[in-house]
Amino acid sequence: MLPTVAPPSPLAAFWAAFKENRGAVIGLAVVLLVVLLALGADVIAPYSPTEQFRDAVRLPPAWAEGGRAGFWLGTDSLGRDQLSRLIHGARISLFIGLTVMGASFVVGVALGLACASLGTAVDVAITRLMDLIMAVPSLVLAILVVAVLGPSLTNTIVAVSLVTLPRYVRLLRASALAELQKDYVTAARVAGVGRWRLMTRTVLPNCLAPLIVQAALGVSDAILEAAALGFLGLGAQPPTAEWGTMLADAREFIRSDPWLVTLPGLAILVTVVSINLMGDGLRDALDPKMRKT
């Protein structure tokens, strides 16, 4: 008698599908590194992000001519350590990205379920509002919101959340409407399941896979939008160590001290690309049609 082999657990099956995409694994590793740096910024960073060294203004990185060993990535125009500001900037940028994603996800799920379950009038009203938001370029709309509310970190989160909200609403609405036509939903209705329980316990769990992928990609979009607002002076305000604000402070030195612009730009690039790669892996792992095996 042949021994029976237990099927892999859902988590093991997910990881087996996820690791088939090497780019996604690399992206996940980089994202975890950035998260660890952000969580341990107070311990890992050699200096405070706002501490100024008047005798070390605009120092190049330690390996370049004129650099100092105590400042590995040099200092900015006010004598603040670039490495420390980049590490603390990871905390701010990830906080913005995760907060925006969380707010947009929760509100988007609520509005998407309302579209699918509360009738034509509510559906038309919400979808037309989302169409109106999407008709305006995202950065322009974010600038408009921040200009009305005032530049600050909190208002940046509000503005970027509003910009990214339609993606979740439209995605969940489409998925929920498709699920409502299936036999298991009809069976639940015949069994007397109420509307609220039907939408939250029966329909919503079957719509989560594309939402999870969108949420992962939404973090990188939020980081980019927040960095753009910071670069324009409408995001986090100095002396907050935010990557977009660091770019704005360094733009006048792009010719004389290019590392001041290059380092925060690379931090944004590497983080956003890594999150996108990880999102691609999530899509492949959660969608059986995308799996290689």
Side-chain angles (χ1 to χ4, degrees), residues 34 37-43 85-97 241 243:
V34 174
L37 289 175
L39 293 176
D42 294 330
V43 177
R85 289 182 64 78
L86 286 173
I87 293 175
H88 281 271
R91 174 182 291 180
I92 299 296
S93 295
L94 286 179
F95 172 76
I96 293 173
W243 292 337

Side-chain angles (χ1 to χ4, degrees), residues 21 47 89:
N21 189 328
Y47 307 102

